[in-house]
Amino acid sequence: MRDSVEVKARTGGAELERVVYTAERIAERVAEMGREIVDAYPEDEEILVLGLLKGSFIFLADLVREIARPVTIDFLVASSYGAGTVTSGEVHLLYDPDAVLEGRHVILVEDIVDSGTTMNRLIPMMEDRNPRSLEVCTLLHKHIATDLVREPRWVGFDAPREFLIGYGLDHSENFRNLPFIGSLKAPE
Ligand code: PRP
């Protein structure tokens, strides 16, 4: 997949600045994160994994298969970026999970914490539902936000401050299907 012809087939010809995390490196780290999550909860207690769509869909699918423990899975949809590359500051809840959070161990799964806006809006909303515990697991953390209401308990990678795409992350809805994470060339 590092072959530039194959990459361009998936990007529609768009040039990447660089590959930031290869598929192999992501898989290794996701497996470690699964083990870290298993170690954090008592054996007989079920975990509700709540994935934020759309960005987390690939990470979540890989992560839950690395959690050797009964889990239930639900999703919520919160969109803020629209078609641009800069957060609008608004977080819209487009789909609310059916799952009951009250009294349960909940892990919110994010692909990336960037400005922190999404997390800062969602955490209080989830807390209001009285989960037994609530933790955030994110594949990428840019460490830009200085006012996060809660630091993610599990972070895959401390990410560079570049516009990242692939493995679920998009630009204008494109590139989510790249099996690695790359950064997009800035427009000239
Ligand atoms: C992206 C990403 C995170 C959020 C992080 O979602 O998936 O949820 O932005 O950015 P923040 O920390 O600055 O809030 P987006 O709203 O683009 O929707 P998507 O998941 O459908 O790509």
Side-chain angles (χ1 to χ4, degrees):
M1 192 59 208
R2 284 183 215 166
D3 175 80
S4 65
V5 174
E6 203 183 328
V7 170
K8 279 188 179 171
R10 295 202 190 204
T11 63
E15 297 249 8
L16 300 186
E17 186 66 40
R18 66 187 181 110
V19 173
V20 182
Y21 304 108
T22 62
E24 294 76 17
R25 191 158 171 222
I26 295 168
E28 271 173 34
R29 184 67 190 114
V30 171
E32 278 173 10
M33 294 175 87
R35 291 193 289 271
E36 289 166 16
I37 288 170
V38 166
D39 289 345
Y41 294 91
E43 240 172 65
D44 54 347
E45 290 175 15
E46 193 192 86
I47 304 164
L48 169 62
V49 176
L50 212 49
L52 287 185
L53 293 175
K54 302 174 198 168
S56 75
F57 80 106
I58 293 178
F59 174 45
L60 180 132
D62 286 345
L63 180 70
V64 292
R65 284 178 286 180
E66 300 293 346
I67 301 176
R69 180 64 61 82
V71 296
T72 52
I73 299 163
D74 207 334
F75 297 94
L76 56 89
V77 182
S79 194
S80 60
Y81 276 50
T85 57
V86 179
T87 183
S88 63
E90 295 283 323
V91 173
H92 307 284
L93 202 54
L94 305 175
Y95 169 76
D96 205 349
D98 291 330
V100 174
L101 272 61
E102 183 157 358
R104 307 180 69 183
H105 292 298
V106 177
I107 304 177
L108 265 179
V109 175
E110 256 286 31
D111 52 333
I112 185 165
V113 177
D114 194 330
S115 70
T117 306
T118 307
M119 276 296 120
N120 282 348
R121 299 280 164 88
L122 289 178
I123 292 288
M125 288 164 73
M126 297 297 114
E127 287 284 18
D128 280 351
R129 299 176 188 196
N130 299 315
R132 182 165 171 193
S133 67
L134 176 63
E135 302 287 356
V136 175
C137 175
T138 185
L139 180 64
L140 303 168
H141 191 346
K142 281 194 175 170
H143 296 281
I144 289 172
T146 53
D147 60 346
L148 276 186
V149 297
R150 171 173 313 216
E151 274 301 324
R153 176 148 179 194
W154 296 284
V155 175
F157 302 104
D158 294 327
R161 295 179 185 187
E162 297 168 48
F163 196 91
L164 300 174
I165 53 163
Y167 197 71
L169 289 94
D170 75 309
H171 176 246
S172 298
E173 296 299 331
N174 295 310
F175 313 121
R176 295 193 199 270
N177 63 329
L178 295 174
F180 58 84
I181 293 171
S183 67
L184 207 53
K185 267 200 172 131
E188 308 204 344

